[in-house]
Amino acid sequence: MEFKKNQEIIITIDDLGNNGEGIGHVNGYALFVKDALPGETVRAKVMKCKKNYGFAKLLDILAGETCDVGRVEPRCPVARQCGGCTLQHLSYEKQLKYKQKKVRDCLERIGGVGRGVPGTPGEEEERIDQVAAKEAEGRDRIEAEAGERCQAGARWLPIIGMEEPWHYRNKAQFPVQMRKGQDGVFRPAAGFYAGRTHSIIPVTDCVIQHRCMKEILDAVLAWMREDGIPAYDEERHQGVVRHVYIRRGFYTNEVMACLVVKEEVAERKAYDRLVERLKGVEGMTGVLVNYNTEKTNVILGSRMELLWGKEYIEDCIGGIRYRISPRSFYQVNPVQTEKLYRTVLEFAGLSGRETVWDLYCGIGTISLFLAQRAKMVYGVEVVPEAIANARENARLNGIRNVEFFCGRAEEVMPGMERERRSAADVIVVDPPRKGCDGVLLDTIREMAPERVVYVSCDPGTLARDVRVLGEFGYEVRKVRACDMFPQGGHVEVICLLSKLHAKQTIEVELKMSEMDLTTAESKATYEEIKDYILERHGIKVSSLYIAQVKQKYGIIERNCYNKARDNEKKIPQCPPEKELLIEDALRYFKMI
Ligand code: SAH
């Protein structure tokens, strides 16, 4: 289909893009129409044409208002111009549907998940409707229902939505600029960048930010006006205030305000007056100034100075207290974060005996959450301040079965593997949007954990990595999206992958676990024997090998386990060096 610039067309929208734009298709050609929604037929003007896709501007909505497309009036008066909330014109229920569909589409198309498993898109849609409505009634019920409705292969669990999808954010970085008023006078203003620009839309009472943000911004702007402090001018690289950076602890109500400046204010006493104003904000525990002297889009500069109070805030998730520095990553939606971590915990399937690696661990939030149910948790993170927070957080909470390493996961882990420090039953990864490095995926393969729990903020890169892990013998078992960013287009998803065993091994292992529960002959369980050998010798042994050695010593009565159902395949036999280690363990447990 050929379109020409400035051509007016009529098109029906059938999908949503990553930034919330409507997408219409004509003979395979995709046209992006900002502000249009799936189900609507619109008149639009073509603005730009590429080979396979183009962009058009919405002129009118011709049809679709009456059918249930989910269009709603945005709460925020500048929602259309602001680059932040790309889905505010879509009902929350439809937002959840769209996010769930996006995750599934990516995993099926790119990740190759569920191929050959009969999908039931109609039922799926219906289920999300019900689930979105029921989310408000309590999570447990939903989980129970979702469990019942799972299909063979991957389980597509319903997205976890929010009861009150407004004012949820605990962090904001407002750019500050001088803006000309109607009277021709320039005054400092704070707000958000208009979509794809660097000019700001003044707005201090954002509908997704916590309400304390407005009070802080108003105080900073008043201080700038009265003290004659100019905002930074990006083009001329002049002026002072660049950003106001705010963080708040949801459970503790602690608030930190950090002023990012290009240079020192002319008179240092001005800082005292700023502190006086900000101290009045409820919950304020720290006022900082950060110096960013560079011509850059990066918000924080290298030097941080504490003006008053403490240089971190604390927050609590699931009974664990976290200390958070300005530079450390911390999830922005605290209500959903707890649900996200609980899902990670559930997917990790911990019994208290596992060794877990939490890669891309930030301040150790997931590590400490899991440590309550694991034998040992190791965390890896690249930002040194975050690792310092993680270690401090472990100490503050009296959690001893954790250890943190600072560095890139893809560089730290191969070293651990070589030094045989890499025993892992479960590996959790929570990478940034670009996903996991290929070297790290290779190392995961070497470490061969039973389960990988992949937490992702980009279903596209998740699907890419899932495909690789699939080639390494990991199968997606459960998928659950969690809406961390209501009103915006981003999607967070938790994915459980399990290692596939050879057919006969699965059968054998199943029998092993049955026997663990029923036989009286064993003094130590298979897991205890495995743990002992791993700890003492750094070597993994399988249940099958343990069973073979036990049989050799006549301490197993039934021996159905060592016959493969599929007679063509041979059962692997325990190598002599492992036999020695198992014998040592059996002796240790006084079983022989
Ligand atoms: N799991 C944490 C943090 C997730 S965000 C939480 O829930 O709070 C991703 C984290 O990965 C960030 O803290 C970032 O600093 C870190 N990171 C980015 N690249 C990394 C790499 N190559 N190796 C290790 N950590 C990395």
Side-chain angles (χ1 to χ4, degrees):
M1 181 76 194
E2 288 282 307
F3 288 116
K4 287 194 192 68
K5 192 169 175 203
N6 291 329
Q7 183 185 346
E8 278 190 24
I9 53 148
I10 290 176
I11 190 165
T12 299
I13 305 298
D14 53 33
D15 201 1
L16 275 175
N18 287 347
N19 296 310
E21 328 86 323
I23 307 176
H25 291 90
V26 183
N27 297 336
Y29 190 90
L31 207 59
F32 288 76
V33 190
K34 187 173 174 301
D35 301 316
L37 290 172
E40 291 177 338
T41 299
V42 302
R43 199 161 61 86
K45 187 170 167 182
V46 177
M47 307 303 286
K48 203 171 173 182
C49 288
K50 300 257 187 186
K51 193 157 169 265
N52 300 317
Y53 64 92
F55 298 92
K57 188 173 155 189
L58 176 68
L59 299 175
D60 310 291
I61 300 167
L62 302 177
E65 298 101 308
T66 47
C67 72
D68 182 25
V69 299
R71 180 175 285 281
V72 292
E73 190 59 39
R75 278 202 192 181
C76 171
V78 293
R80 231 184 128 155
Q81 300 98 295
C82 175
C85 295
T86 50
L87 292 179
Q88 243 193 70
H89 56 302
L90 184 62
S91 71
Y92 188 53
E93 191 192 321
K94 292 274 183 190
Q95 290 180 26
L96 291 177
K97 260 191 179 179
Y98 152 66
K99 291 181 184 186
Q100 171 125 330
K101 178 173 174 297
K102 187 169 166 187
V103 168
R104 188 165 180 164
D105 282 354
C106 282
L107 281 169
E108 283 182 345
R109 279 195 220 139
I110 311 169
V113 175
R115 294 262 161 83
V117 176
T120 49
E123 270 175 34
E124 182 73 10
E125 291 252 306
E126 210 175 283
R127 181 205 309 172
I128 302 167
D129 273 344
Q130 293 164 357
V131 164
K134 280 189 183 142
E135 183 65 50
E137 289 176 25
R139 190 162 173 266
D140 296 343
R141 246 180 81 185
I142 290 169
E143 284 195 339
E145 291 188 11
E148 278 164 24
R149 288 197 188 115
C150 66
Q151 58 182 48
R155 286 185 182 186
W156 304 96
L157 297 168
I159 185 165
I160 305 171
M162 275 190 100
E163 264 173 57
E164 174 58 25
W166 305 101
H167 297 289
Y168 60 83
R169 281 188 63 109
N170 59 11
K171 173 181 158 180
Q173 321 177 87
F174 293 91
V176 183
Q177 282 172 6
M178 299 304 283
R179 281 181 67 97
K180 198 171 174 179
Q182 281 171 345
D183 54 5
V185 179
F186 278 88
R187 292 187 186 84
F192 291 104
Y193 291 124
R196 300 205 182 112
T197 75
H198 265 208
S199 71
I200 66 163
I201 299 166
V203 53
T204 54
D205 52 354
C206 169
V207 296
I208 58 166
Q209 291 292 353
H210 186 266
R211 291 186 170 83
C212 74
M213 309 278 177
K214 175 173 165 43
E215 209 184 330
I216 294 172
L217 281 181
D218 289 346
V220 171
L221 294 176
W223 168 75
M224 288 175 72
R225 276 196 307 271
E226 284 171 31
D227 263 80
I229 314 270
Y232 172 64
D233 178 339
E234 211 173 272
E235 305 227 312
R236 287 187 286 168
H237 193 48
Q238 275 176 9
V240 179
V241 181
R242 300 172 71 127
H243 278 87
V244 182
Y245 173 76
I246 305 166
R247 264 191 156 166
R248 178 177 178 274
F250 179 77
Y251 290 96
T252 56
N253 193 24
E254 292 186 2
V255 183
M256 162 204 284
C258 175
L259 198 70
V260 184
V261 297
K262 188 233 161 204
E263 59 194 31
E264 191 86 56
V265 286
E267 188 206 352
R268 272 200 68 94
K269 276 222 150 75
Y271 282 152
D272 300 340
R273 290 189 285 274
L274 174 68
V275 168
E276 274 319 303
R277 284 178 191 268
L278 290 176
K279 265 161 70 176
V281 175
E282 194 196 327
M284 184 63 66
T285 48
V287 179
L288 297 100
V289 60
N290 173 273
Y291 297 90
N292 186 349
T293 55
E294 305 293 316
K295 244 187 149 166
T296 168
N297 285 340
V298 176
I299 294 174
L300 288 180
S302 51
R303 187 157 73 90
M304 193 73 84
E305 181 188 335
L306 181 67
L307 296 180
W308 172 81
K310 50 182 196 174
E311 56 212 336
Y312 54 82
I313 55 160
E314 289 190 349
D315 201 8
C316 241
I317 303 175
I320 298 179
R321 212 173 166 87
Y322 296 103
R323 190 166 281 188
I324 308 151
S325 292
R327 249 184 258 278
S328 303
F329 175 90
Y330 188 64
Q331 298 283 356
V332 294
N333 185 334
V335 171
Q336 294 301 88
T337 300
E338 180 156 352
K339 299 180 192 171
L340 174 78
Y341 291 172
R342 289 204 184 284
T343 308
V344 173
L345 183 65
E346 178 196 320
F347 282 13
L350 301 178
S351 66
R353 290 192 293 246
E354 293 80 3
T355 300
V356 181
W357 284 82
D358 175 21
L359 310 180
Y360 309 88
C361 70
I363 58 168
T365 37
I366 294 179
S367 320
L368 298 179
F369 208 80
L370 299 186
Q372 302 174 92
R373 300 257 193 94
K375 188 172 90 187
M376 186 69 198
V377 182
Y378 299 102
V380 181
E381 158 67 43
V382 72
V383 174
E385 283 99 328
I387 283 291
N389 282 159
R391 290 181 179 139
E392 214 170 351
N393 288 334
R395 199 177 41 77
L396 279 176
N397 291 282
I399 298 176
R400 291 202 183 83
N401 55 335
V402 287
E403 191 178 344
F404 293 100
F405 301 94
C406 188
R408 292 183 188 284
E410 62 275 22
E411 288 167 10
V412 171
M413 296 315 289
M416 297 286 167
E417 229 285 308
R418 279 193 299 276
E419 290 169 31
R420 290 188 170 281
R421 292 201 56 188
S422 61
D425 298 296
V426 179
I427 296 183
V428 178
V429 294
D430 185 4
R433 296 180 73 185
K434 66 176 188 207
C436 292
D437 189 280
V439 174
L440 179 66
L441 295 177
D442 285 340
T443 314
I444 292 178
R445 174 197 211 168
E446 296 295 315
M447 291 168 72
E450 283 300 316
R451 290 179 289 287
V452 176
V453 182
Y454 196 133
V455 184
S456 160
C457 50
D458 185 326
T461 55
L462 165 72
R464 179 201 66 200
D465 292 348
V466 156
R467 175 172 278 277
V468 176
L469 288 168
E471 285 159 13
F472 294 169
Y474 284 87
E475 189 185 58
V476 171
R477 290 287 161 80
K478 291 187 197 174
V479 180
R480 186 159 210 179
C482 180
D483 190 22
M484 302 294 280
F485 313 103
Q487 320 307 335
H490 291 296
V491 188
E492 190 92 7
V493 49
I494 312 119
C495 182
L496 168 67
L497 297 110
S498 292
K499 189 164 72 180
L500 276 181
H501 296 264
K503 189 168 173 257
Q504 71 273 42
T505 318
I506 297 175
E507 289 172 1
V508 168
E509 298 238 332
L510 269 175
K511 292 219 158 51
M512 291 289 96
S513 53
E514 283 164 24
M515 289 179 73
D516 268 349
L517 296 174
T518 54
T519 52
E521 94 279 354
S522 79
K523 293 204 167 99
T525 63
Y526 286 88
E527 289 308 318
E528 281 163 350
I529 297 172
K530 283 183 196 177
D531 283 352
Y532 171 83
I533 296 173
L534 190 60
E535 228 164 56
R536 223 174 139 165
H537 308 285
I539 287 181
K540 280 190 168 183
V541 295
S542 67
S543 301
L544 174 67
Y545 292 166
I546 298 173
Q548 288 169 348
V549 179
K550 274 174 138 188
Q551 202 200 15
K552 184 176 152 193
Y553 283 90
I555 49 172
I556 286 181
E557 284 113 30
R558 290 179 281 173
N559 66 352
C560 53
Y561 50 85
N562 69 350
K563 290 199 188 93
R565 289 235 178 108
D566 184 348
N567 286 331
E568 293 151 35
K569 297 203 176 132
K570 271 187 73 183
I571 292 269
Q573 290 301 312
C574 181
E577 66 278 11
K578 290 200 174 175
E579 200 173 308
L580 287 174
L581 302 181
I582 295 168
E583 283 170 1
D584 170 52
L586 296 180
R587 246 175 251 118
Y588 172 80
F589 288 113
K590 303 205 175 6
M591 293 163 76
I592 55 174

